[in-house]
């Protein structure tokens, strides 16, 4: 007899001891603005985003041991596979390598019983729409029958018009995915590097189990962007923060972290039940890299000394 699921202080479901997140939560869906488990209880997914996979040298995101270690030690419930599309060596020029990386991360997530966001990591997906449709058609045909996969077909649109360019792209991609998978979550990018969720909220895409992307970097984005998020929520738009950092929006090239503002953001997400994945599971001098440039083992067992300030902050928020 399985004991009843434990409840976090804010009412969201947490994995039962001895069960994986997917065993406890099952097939996710959206009710109102909230992701809920098969049981109907609210769920807040939390976990890391990979680095652009075409630029990640050490294989952290592709390690099953690291994923299981983060699941058990950091309370990870989701991982985002940020599959670069346009740069040299990324999906458009090297599709077999990129697809193999994504497939490894998905298979690992299935083995570990966690959710996985398949992210078309592109700033110009609307001009690469045919390739995106073919990619998500294949992913949804292969994995759409499983509860693990979450689709993110456009990472960060730039300053393109919602109504005439971005919304039609999303409508096409949602239709393509829904040919194979009637129910898994799809997270839709919003204008201006996934900030203008209020614009999407005024004219949302038709369909079920759709959420919208809000990205923030806490040295750059403050209360003004949380206000956009609250505007969107107030008219019923479900949000998923698929990328955030406690740095400037360039990923922390200056090494700065803004942890007080990041805490305002993580509290904002927690109290609203908004799921998140945090940039980025890699080692480098950018202050969004979880690991110091001197590196960390690929497969887990990471000490505080191996983690930069942002990495420790993300880990601690995952554990809450
Ligand atoms: Mg499905």
């Amino acid at each position: 007899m399985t004991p009843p699921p434990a409840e976090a202080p804010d009412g969201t479901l947490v994995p039962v001891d001895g069960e994986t997140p997917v065993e406890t939560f099952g097939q996710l869906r959206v009710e109102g603005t909230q992701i809920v488990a098969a049981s109907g209880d609210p769920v807040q997914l939390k976990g890391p985003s990979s680095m652009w996979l075409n630029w990640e040298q050490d294989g952290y995101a592709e390690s099953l041991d690291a994923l299981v270690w983060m699941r058990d030690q950091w309370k990870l419930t989701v991982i985002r596979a940020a599959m670069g599309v346009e740069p040299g060596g990324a999906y458009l020029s090297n599709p077999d390598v990129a697809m193999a990386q994504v497939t490894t991360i998905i298979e690992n997530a299935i083995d570990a019983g966690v959710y996985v966001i398949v992210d078309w990591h592109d700033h110009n997906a609307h001009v690469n729409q045919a390739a995106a449709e073919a990619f998500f058609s294949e992913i949804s045909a292969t994995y759409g029958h499983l509860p693990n996969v979450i689709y993110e077909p456009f990472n960060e649109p730039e300053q393109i018009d919602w109504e005439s360019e971005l919304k039609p792209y999303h409508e096409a991609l949602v239709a393509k995915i829904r040919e194979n998978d009637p129910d898994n979550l799809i997270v839709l990018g919003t204008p201006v590097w996934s900030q203008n969720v209020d614009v999407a909220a005024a004219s949302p895409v038709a369909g079920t189990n759709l959420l919208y992307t809000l990205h923030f970097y806490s040295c750059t984005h403050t209360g003004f962007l949380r206000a956009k998020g609250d505007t969107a929520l107030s008219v019923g738009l479900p949000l998923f923060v698929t990328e955030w950092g406690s740095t400037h929006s360039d990923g922390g090239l200056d090494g700065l972290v803004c942890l007080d503002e990041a805490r305002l953001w993580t509290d904002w997400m927690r109290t609203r039940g908004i799921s998140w994945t945090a940039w980025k599971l890699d080692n480098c001098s950018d202050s969004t890299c979880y690991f110091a440039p001197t590196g960390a083992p690929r497969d887990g067992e990471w000490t505080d000394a191996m983690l930069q300030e942002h990495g420790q902050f993300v880990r601690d928020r995952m554990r809450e």
Side-chain angles (χ1 to χ4, degrees):
M1 191 65 186
T2 306
E7 295 248 339
D10 58 358
T12 57
L13 200 59
V14 297
V16 174
D17 281 348
E19 287 189 2
T20 67
V22 171
E23 284 173 332
T24 298
F25 301 161
Q27 179 73 42
L28 303 174
R29 64 183 190 275
V30 176
E31 283 189 4
T33 59
Q34 182 65 55
I35 298 174
V36 301
S39 62
D41 293 298
V43 167
Q44 185 194 19
L45 301 178
K46 295 186 283 190
S49 173
S50 77
M51 174 55 162
W52 294 68
L53 292 177
N54 52 294
W55 285 324
E56 207 248 308
Q57 306 295 319
D58 296 280
Y60 295 112
E62 293 164 65
S63 166
L64 176 59
D65 288 341
L67 189 65
V68 168
W69 192 83
M70 286 188 282
R71 181 197 69 193
D72 294 342
Q73 303 298 321
W74 288 9
K75 305 303 176 194
L76 165 158
T77 50
V78 61
I79 184 170
R80 178 183 191 235
M83 188 191 74
V85 173
E86 292 196 307
Y91 180 80
L92 290 180
S93 56
N94 213 356
D96 293 345
V97 168
M99 186 59 100
Q101 290 176 306
V102 169
T103 300
T104 294
I105 296 169
I106 294 172
E107 297 280 353
N108 288 348
I110 293 165
D111 288 349
V114 303
Y115 298 89
V116 55
I117 299 173
V118 179
D119 162 30
W120 184 261
H121 203 74
D122 191 355
H123 295 291
N124 301 290
H126 58 302
V127 301
N128 300 314
Q129 182 172 328
E133 287 187 14
F135 172 80
F136 283 102
S137 188
E138 183 173 345
I139 294 290
S140 59
T142 309
Y143 297 109
H145 63 292
L146 298 171
N148 304 75
V149 171
I150 298 168
Y151 310 96
E152 185 181 10
F154 198 154
N155 165 49
E156 286 186 354
E158 296 183 354
Q159 297 180 63
I160 64 171
D161 184 61
W162 172 256
E163 204 63 46
S164 65
E165 293 193 275
L166 189 45
K167 186 177 176 183
Y169 171 90
H170 285 321
E171 289 170 336
L173 267 291
V174 167
K176 189 58 72 175
I177 290 166
R178 289 293 182 242
E179 287 176 3
N180 299 318
D181 181 352
D183 52 3
N184 283 30
L185 307 182
I186 307 175
V187 190
L188 306 175
T190 56
V192 191
W193 296 276
S194 289
Q195 294 176 66
N196 286 355
V197 288
D198 52 336
V199 172
S203 179
V205 175
T208 55
N209 298 333
L210 307 180
L211 299 105
Y212 294 79
T213 312
L214 178 65
H215 287 178
F216 71 85
Y217 286 84
S218 67
C219 296
T220 305
H221 306 115
T222 59
F224 77 91
L225 190 53
R226 290 191 292 279
K228 282 182 190 282
D230 279 330
T231 296
L233 290 170
S234 72
V235 295
L237 200 79
L239 303 179
F240 198 132
V241 174
T242 56
E243 216 183 282
W244 65 269
S246 51
T247 67
H248 281 299
S249 57
D250 59 9
L253 298 179
D254 60 5
L256 191 67
V257 290
C258 300
L259 296 179
D260 288 345
E261 188 69 31
R263 189 59 196 248
L264 293 176
W265 272 107
T266 54
D267 285 348
W268 182 84
M269 294 188 288
R270 183 174 51 78
T271 55
R272 286 155 181 77
I274 297 171
S275 293
W276 55 256
T277 48
W279 195 250
K280 62 193 174 204
L281 186 65
D282 200 1
N283 63 313
C284 70
S285 58
D286 300 358
S287 46
T288 48
C289 265
Y290 295 0
F291 306 121
T294 46
R298 189 192 62 179
D299 294 329
E301 308 289 341
W302 303 316
T303 63
D304 277 9
M306 298 171 187
L307 293 169
Q308 303 202 98
E309 279 182 284
H310 173 66
Q312 294 188 28
F313 182 82
V314 169
R315 175 203 60 193
D316 292 345
R317 301 289 79 73
M318 255 186 245
R319 286 172 165 170
E320 284 180 336

